[in-house]
Amino acid sequence: MESKSSNEVETSATTNNKIHFSKEVKNVIDKVLKSDDPMDAPDFNCVDYINQLFPNEQSLATIDETIQRMQCEVSLIDDNIRSVVRGQTNTGQDGQQALCEAQKVISTLYEHIIDVKTRAERTEEMVKEITRDIKQLDCAKRNLTSAITTLNHLHMLVGGIESLEILIEKRLYGEILNPLQAITEVNQHFQQYSDIEEIKNLSQSVDKIQITLAQQITEDFKEAFSVKKTSNHSRIGLNQLGDACKVISVLDTKVKKDLLKWFIAQQLEEYLQLFHENQDIAWLDKIDKRYAWLKRHLLDFEDKFGTVFPLDWEVSERITVEFCRLTREQLSQIMNKRVNEIDVRLLLFAINKTQSFEQLLSKRFTGVTLGVNNDNQNVPSFSSDDGPLINSAFLVFHDQIGSCFKAHLDIYIRSIDRNLSELIEKFIEQIKEPFRAAEAKSTVYPSSADLFVFYKKCMVQCNQLSNEQPMYELALVFKKYLREYASKVLEFSTPKLLTTSTSIGKSMSLLTRDMQNLSTAAGQVIHNFLKEGDAQRFSKDDLIRICCVLTTAEYCLETVQQLEDKLKEKVAVAYVNKIDMSEEKDVFHRIISNCIQLLVQDLETGCESFLQAMSKVQWQSISNVGDQSSFITNMCANFKQTVPVIRDNLSSSRKYFTQFCHKFVNVFIPKYINVLYKCKLTLSDGGNNVLGCEQLLLDTHSLKTALLDLPSIGSSVNRKAPTSYTKVVVKDMTRAEMIIKVVMTPVQPPAHFTQQVLKLLPDITIAEYQKILDMKAVKRVDQLQLIDIFKRTASTAAVAGLSDNTDSISIDAEQKNSSSNALDFSNDNVMADATSTEVSAGQTNIMGNAVSTPKRAFIFSVGNFTGGSSSAVDKNADNSSQSSGDRGRIRKLENLLKKRLP
């Protein structure tokens, strides 16, 4: 028991002696004493550390080396601890000695500080004794100075009031100014003593003097500028009035404001009477007389009274501002009453005269009375292409009068509408005249340039009038007549083929279907009649006119964009987003497309008869291969006759000529291939006429060469055709050549024939394959077998190509589409079951009828080629990557066959 208790005491002592640090302290220690030794870790575990050193029995072979290394480290640590302990002992002794010395120094320093403080207190007492009398004298001086200043101000105030009363009575305004300024300032100084009765009375006396001065000067001005003499004493002179104005500048600002208001009204009284709305001179046609009156009046005023008013009063500018306000109100009233008498010429005359007058005022005056500075941005900027730029920042009087006309600018817009309507009618009459291609200097109609020049002038003029609602309304008028020009001028002038024969042809075609029992001669007559209607073509002048319409529409399209940008630049910010001419640009785009289509249609129509001649050639009877056939020569002649005319007249629109060439070959080559399918190349014995095939191949190659040279045909400059055009021609015409080569291939053996077909025409469809068989005059029964072989070969080739790319198929992508695939399999389950077995001879009819079978039925019949049917795929749908790979291959095969089979 005693042994146990002693162990417990020792354990508790060890536990009590253990030092515990907080996390913050541990983090700081780790930063200062960085160590990678696992023994320094706070959560060090001895057992784990030993297991780490000796993970297995073989590692125990190094235990002696490990123990020796550990003993070395322990002895090294003991030495370090011993040296640190000894150093700490010496440090403690040195620190104790330094502390004693520091205490002695602090005691000495404290004694010095006490001594200095004592001396400072004695010195302060001595200074106070010396300066006591000086402070008293200084305070007395300040009080005396303040008293003397106050007495002087009081003397000035009392004396000034008495002298001002005398000067006011004698109207000596020149002598009043200085005393008035002095007593005004002194009176402000005594406001802090307003509770003293005497000071309060003096302040009231000053206020009475100011009121008396204001009333007296106002009466003197009214008497001096009145027409009749209203008092017995004589009027005061202009010099006295000038001194009186200086006195008013010292008084309250309301006095100056009231005096100027009365004086300006008195100066403009004559103007109000002369230009009353009942007077003839007040109407807009004599608006310049208003402005002439102000010019004369200002000159007369400045000549007579220019010296009376101070320059900073800006009396002339104030008179002008009030004149502008009155004129604006008068014109608004009279125009509202006589609005029916205003026409656009009268309105523009008044606006132009007003703008010129406002510009003159802006040059003459600074606009300080309007509160306008040179940085004002509220006034719109405008410029004229016929004159220098006018900076609106300096037009301080802009719209001071002219704003009254903005309410009536709809008259101007209506006038522009009428003028544009007349201009469009003029353009229509010009279009009706016979077109002379030789006299035309440009393929762009001059009327389009005239239209946009008129637009430009209207826009500049309207911008000078207003850049807000009127400018937006003008933009709407522009949009309206752009559409009018497009429909009534461009579309109207576009040549059109007579549709009577075409409509008759459509009716007769319906009739001939019910008249199949008629005689061959009658049917041939009807057929020739229909073909004559279809063969109608444009003349050379018509082609040139179509090109002119196209280039004019292109010019309009580009200029409309510039017009829209310019309108957005000129119009006020609030209307920028409302201006949109996209519809008008679409109209011109449509006209361009229509013109290109007409040109393509004409060139295509010129080739119709030659294609018909090609289909009527007895290819199976050709006995030798010579030069190209006559129908190819005629087609090339048609190209040489038509294309140069189009190219020369579209020289300024090269991109649209390229579009024309693209569209033509995209329409013509498929039509040529369709005619090619109708050619019979089989001899009476069932074999191919090789010579006929070679001749047709030669003709096709000649046509290919002609189409490649089509953009530069008949040109002295051999320009290389665009690469995109060349690619289309080479691709499509090479397909036509491959079709002929396929026809030249013997049908027997069928497997070789099918492989040759797929080799020469990899993307051929079943319908095209059947057309080739018809060209070879293969019997229907034999065609079924060949089609069956073609389907199997195509499916096998597709699966082979699919298996080569199986590794590149993403299983995740296929799993993502697994649900949709399962749905497709379920929907076509019947078809899949019907065709999932291996193809045999007994199933030839089933596969032969696949021409009329839905595409998906055949697609899912190829399940055998992947090793199982659709049901097997569904059965293994939950398996691993093998089932996913099967579904992926079937899906890939489906996509390939969709492109090949109809």
Side-chain angles (χ1 to χ4, degrees):
M1 294 293 293
E2 293 178 358
S3 171
K4 183 177 180 181
S5 61
S6 62
N7 291 335
E8 290 177 353
V9 172
E10 184 178 357
T11 302
S12 61
T14 305
T15 304
N16 295 333
N17 294 333
K18 188 176 181 179
I19 302 175
H20 295 279
F21 297 109
S22 62
K23 292 183 179 180
E24 292 78 5
V25 176
K26 289 180 180 179
N27 293 332
V28 174
I29 292 175
D30 291 339
K31 292 181 180 178
V32 176
L33 302 175
K34 296 182 178 179
S35 176
D36 298 331
D37 194 343
M39 293 185 182
D40 294 335
D43 55 348
F44 174 74
N45 191 311
C46 181
V47 176
D48 293 340
Y49 181 69
I50 293 174
N51 290 333
Q52 184 178 358
L53 291 177
F54 307 104
N56 48 42
E57 293 181 2
Q58 289 77 9
S59 60
L60 294 175
T62 60
I63 189 170
D64 294 333
E65 297 178 1
T66 304
I67 293 173
Q68 186 177 0
R69 188 176 67 253
M70 291 293 181
Q71 289 176 350
C72 292
E73 291 181 0
V74 169
S75 61
L76 180 61
I77 293 173
D78 290 339
D79 293 340
N80 290 336
I81 293 174
R82 191 178 300 109
S83 60
V84 170
V85 170
R86 291 176 181 175
Q88 290 295 327
T89 304
N90 296 333
T91 302
Q93 295 175 356
D94 295 339
Q96 188 67 28
Q97 184 178 356
L99 179 61
C100 294
E101 294 178 357
Q103 289 176 349
K104 293 179 181 179
V105 172
I106 290 173
S107 300
T108 306
L109 179 62
Y110 179 74
E111 292 175 358
H112 284 296
I113 292 173
I114 294 299
D115 184 46
V116 171
K117 182 178 179 182
T118 304
R119 292 181 181 182
E121 290 176 354
R122 288 200 299 267
T123 302
E124 184 178 2
E125 292 295 332
M126 292 173 63
V127 171
K128 285 182 179 180
E129 291 292 335
I130 294 171
T131 60
R132 183 180 293 115
D133 297 336
I134 296 175
K135 289 182 178 179
Q136 291 178 356
L137 291 174
D138 185 56
C139 181
K141 180 183 177 181
R142 287 197 302 271
N143 293 335
L144 181 61
T145 302
S146 177
I148 293 172
T149 302
T150 303
L151 288 174
N152 286 335
H153 287 170
L154 184 61
H155 177 72
M156 290 173 58
L157 185 60
V158 174
I161 291 173
E162 294 176 355
S163 61
L164 279 177
E165 291 176 350
I166 297 172
L167 294 174
I168 292 172
E169 185 178 356
K170 294 180 179 180
R171 285 180 166 77
L172 299 176
Y173 298 121
E175 301 178 9
I176 288 176
L177 180 60
N178 291 333
L180 180 61
Q181 290 178 334
I183 67 169
T184 302
E185 294 177 359
V186 171
N187 187 38
Q188 293 177 354
H189 175 71
F190 278 106
Q191 292 300 318
Q192 56 183 333
Y193 307 111
S194 58
D195 55 338
I196 302 174
E197 187 66 25
E198 289 77 5
I199 300 299
K200 183 177 180 181
N201 294 334
L202 289 174
S203 179
Q204 292 176 352
S205 299
V206 173
D207 293 340
K208 290 179 181 179
I209 289 174
Q210 291 179 346
I211 294 173
T212 302
L213 268 175
Q215 293 175 349
Q216 182 173 306
I217 292 174
T218 302
E219 292 174 359
D220 290 341
F221 264 91
K222 291 182 178 180
E223 182 180 357
F225 290 97
S226 62
V227 179
K228 296 181 179 180
K229 189 174 181 180
T230 58
S231 61
N232 295 328
H233 58 81
S234 60
R235 299 180 180 180
I236 62 176
L238 297 179
N239 292 333
Q240 284 182 287
L241 291 177
D243 295 335
C245 290
K246 295 178 182 178
V247 172
I248 288 180
S249 298
V250 180
L251 299 177
D252 188 15
T253 56
K254 185 177 182 301
V255 178
K256 171 185 171 182
K257 182 178 180 180
D258 293 341
L259 177 62
L260 286 175
K261 183 178 180 181
W262 168 83
F263 179 77
I264 293 172
Q266 192 267 346
Q267 291 294 307
L268 295 176
E269 184 177 356
E270 177 187 358
Y271 171 73
L272 293 176
Q273 294 177 357
L274 286 176
F275 293 92
H276 191 269
E277 62 181 12
N278 296 329
Q279 303 295 328
D280 293 338
I281 198 175
W283 187 229
L284 297 180
D285 57 347
K286 299 180 178 62
I287 194 171
D288 52 338
K289 295 186 180 299
R290 293 175 178 267
Y291 308 141
W293 180 90
L294 180 65
K295 295 177 185 177
R296 292 194 305 269
H297 184 77
L298 287 179
L299 291 174
D300 184 58
F301 165 77
E302 292 179 355
D303 184 40
K304 292 181 180 179
F305 309 113
T307 58
V308 174
F309 299 96
L311 294 178
D312 60 338
W313 282 28
E314 298 287 351
V315 179
S316 296
E317 182 175 324
R318 294 179 186 274
I319 293 174
T320 303
V321 172
E322 183 63 16
F323 169 84
C324 293
R325 186 187 68 82
L326 294 175
T327 303
R328 183 173 65 250
E329 294 178 354
Q330 284 186 338
L331 291 176
S332 297
Q333 293 176 0
I334 195 171
M335 284 192 294
N336 290 333
K337 292 181 180 179
R338 303 172 63 176
V339 64
N340 295 329
E341 302 179 28
I342 304 175
D343 58 15
V344 66
R345 291 185 178 180
L346 181 61
L347 181 65
L348 292 179
F349 169 78
I351 292 176
N352 290 332
K353 291 294 182 181
T354 301
Q355 287 181 347
S356 300
F357 179 67
E358 289 174 345
Q359 293 177 20
L360 180 63
L361 295 181
S362 298
K363 295 177 181 178
R364 170 63 178 81
F365 300 109
T366 62
V368 64
T369 59
L370 291 170
V372 178
N373 53 40
N374 290 341
D375 296 330
N376 184 26
Q377 299 298 327
N378 295 328
V379 182
S381 299
F382 57 86
S383 62
S384 173
D385 293 344
D386 300 329
L389 180 68
I390 302 174
N391 192 343
S392 64
F394 297 97
L395 295 182
V396 294
F397 277 84
H398 179 71
D399 273 352
Q400 290 296 315
I401 301 175
S403 59
C404 66
F405 298 111
K406 291 185 177 180
H408 303 279
L409 285 178
D410 57 327
I411 298 173
Y412 170 76
I413 301 300
R414 290 198 297 270
S415 172
I416 297 296
D417 192 301
R418 291 193 297 270
N419 292 339
L420 281 172
S421 178
E422 296 173 358
L423 192 62
I424 294 296
E425 294 298 328
K426 176 184 175 182
F427 295 158
I428 294 174
E429 293 299 324
Q430 293 175 356
I431 290 298
K432 293 180 180 179
E433 298 177 0
F435 182 72
R436 298 177 178 85
E439 299 178 3
K441 297 181 181 180
S442 173
T443 55
V444 178
Y445 285 164
S447 58
S448 61
D450 296 340
L451 177 67
F452 285 106
V453 168
F454 184 79
Y455 274 11
K456 181 179 180 181
K457 292 181 179 179
C458 294
M459 183 173 60
V460 172
Q461 189 178 44
C462 184
N463 189 46
Q464 294 178 356
L465 303 178
S466 174
N467 69 335
E468 297 178 351
Q469 181 68 23
M471 180 67 79
Y472 172 66
E473 294 178 355
L474 182 66
L476 296 180
V477 174
F478 286 172
K479 287 164 60 70
K480 171 185 175 182
Y481 285 98
L482 283 173
R483 294 191 295 270
E484 291 279 330
Y485 183 80
S487 61
K488 295 184 178 180
V489 177
L490 295 184
E491 292 182 353
F492 177 78
S493 65
T494 304
K496 301 174 181 62
L497 295 175
L498 296 176
T499 58
T500 304
S501 60
T502 304
S503 61
I504 292 176
K506 292 180 179 180
S507 300
M508 294 300 294
S509 63
L510 296 176
L511 181 62
T512 52
R513 287 189 299 182
D514 298 330
M515 298 175 63
Q516 295 179 356
N517 295 327
L518 291 177
S519 65
T520 306
Q524 186 66 32
V525 171
I526 294 174
H527 179 75
N528 294 337
F529 176 75
L530 297 180
K531 290 303 177 183
E532 289 177 0
D534 292 338
Q536 187 177 4
R537 297 192 62 188
F538 292 117
S539 64
K540 181 179 178 181
D541 288 343
D542 290 338
L543 293 176
I544 296 175
R545 184 178 282 273
I546 292 173
C547 293
C548 290
V549 172
L550 190 152
T551 54
T552 304
E554 181 189 15
Y555 166 76
C556 292
L557 181 63
E558 296 174 353
T559 313
V560 165
Q561 182 61 52
Q562 299 174 8
L563 176 66
E564 181 180 359
D565 296 339
K566 205 66 178 178
L567 285 170
K568 290 183 177 180
E569 176 186 337
K570 297 292 185 182
V571 78
V573 178
Y575 297 92
V576 170
N577 294 330
K578 295 183 179 180
I579 295 180
D580 181 17
M581 294 190 173
S582 57
E583 295 181 0
E584 289 68 31
K585 288 183 282 189
D586 291 341
V587 170
F588 292 112
H589 273 300
R590 186 171 62 251
I591 292 176
I592 292 172
S593 299
N594 182 47
C595 291
I596 295 175
Q597 186 61 37
L598 289 176
L599 296 174
V600 171
Q601 181 181 353
D602 179 77
L603 186 59
E604 180 190 354
T605 303
C607 299
E608 286 287 346
S609 59
F610 309 128
L611 292 176
Q612 293 176 10
M614 171 184 169
S615 63
K616 295 178 181 179
V617 173
Q618 301 296 325
W619 297 101
Q620 66 271 25
S621 302
I622 292 179
S623 58
N624 63 333
V625 179
D627 199 357
Q628 64 185 21
S629 300
S630 59
F631 65 86
I632 296 295
T633 304
N634 293 332
M635 267 194 268
C636 294
N638 176 41
F639 295 158
K640 291 181 180 179
Q641 180 182 1
T642 305
V643 174
V645 176
I646 299 174
R647 183 183 60 244
D648 294 341
N649 288 277
L650 292 181
S651 58
S652 61
S653 304
R654 190 71 187 177
K655 63 179 180 179
Y656 292 119
F657 175 70
T658 304
Q659 287 187 20
F660 157 75
C661 295
H662 270 284
K663 288 189 176 182
F664 172 72
V665 296
N666 287 332
V667 173
F668 174 75
I669 296 178
K671 183 174 290 188
Y672 176 79
I673 292 176
N674 287 333
V675 175
L676 189 64
Y677 283 131
K678 298 177 182 179
C679 296
K680 304 299 181 182
L681 300 170
T682 305
L683 297 174
S684 58
D685 58 357
N688 292 332
N689 184 3
V690 178
L691 296 178
C693 292
E694 291 179 353
Q695 180 63 45
L696 188 55
L697 187 62
L698 174 64
D699 293 338
T700 302
H701 182 73
S702 300
L703 180 60
K704 175 182 177 181
T705 304
L707 291 176
L708 288 174
D709 296 337
L710 185 68
S712 60
I713 191 170
S715 175
S716 58
V717 180
N718 188 10
R719 179 180 294 180
K720 186 178 180 181
T723 306
S724 58
Y725 172 80
T726 303
K727 287 182 178 179
V728 172
V729 174
V730 170
K731 178 183 176 182
D732 294 345
M733 290 303 296
T734 301
R735 182 178 182 82
E737 293 174 343
M738 293 301 104
I739 291 173
I740 300 174
K741 290 183 179 180
V742 167
V743 174
M744 295 173 66
T745 305
V747 178
Q748 299 296 332
H752 177 267
F753 175 73
T754 304
Q755 292 177 356
Q756 193 69 10
V757 170
L758 293 174
K759 178 180 178 182
L760 297 177
L761 298 171
D763 56 346
I764 189 173
T765 63
I766 291 181
E768 294 171 336
Y769 182 72
Q770 190 169 6
K771 289 180 181 179
I772 292 176
L773 296 180
D774 290 339
M775 291 177 67
K776 296 177 71 63
V778 178
K779 297 180 180 180
R780 288 293 176 181
V781 177
D782 297 333
Q783 283 188 16
L784 295 177
Q785 182 179 3
L786 289 172
I787 291 174
D788 180 27
I789 296 174
F790 170 77
K791 289 179 179 180
R792 284 185 292 165
T793 306
S795 301
T796 304
V799 173
L802 178 62
S803 61
D804 294 339
N805 299 325
T806 300
D807 294 337
S808 63
I809 297 176
S810 175
I811 297 177
D812 294 337
E814 296 301 333
Q815 289 176 349
K816 183 177 181 181
N817 296 326
S818 60
S819 59
S820 60
N821 294 342
L823 180 61
D824 292 340
F825 280 118
S826 64
N827 290 338
D828 298 305
N829 196 26
V830 177
M831 295 180 183
D833 292 339
T835 58
S836 60
T837 57
E838 201 172 78
V839 178
S840 61
Q843 293 173 324
T844 302
N845 292 335
I846 299 175
M847 298 301 295
N849 294 332
V851 176
S852 60
T853 303
K855 184 189 303 182
R856 294 189 60 81
F858 174 73
I859 288 172
F860 289 112
S861 69
V862 299
N864 290 326
F865 297 106
T866 61
S869 63
S870 61
S871 59
V873 174
D874 290 338
K875 182 178 181 181
N876 298 328
D878 295 331
N879 289 342
S880 61
S881 60
Q882 180 63 34
S883 60
S884 298
D886 291 342
R887 288 198 302 273
R889 287 193 293 273
I890 293 174
R891 193 68 175 176
K892 184 69 173 181
L893 179 61
E894 178 184 354
N895 293 333
L896 291 175
L897 294 180
K898 279 182 179 179
K899 297 178 180 178
R900 176 167 295 170
L901 303 178

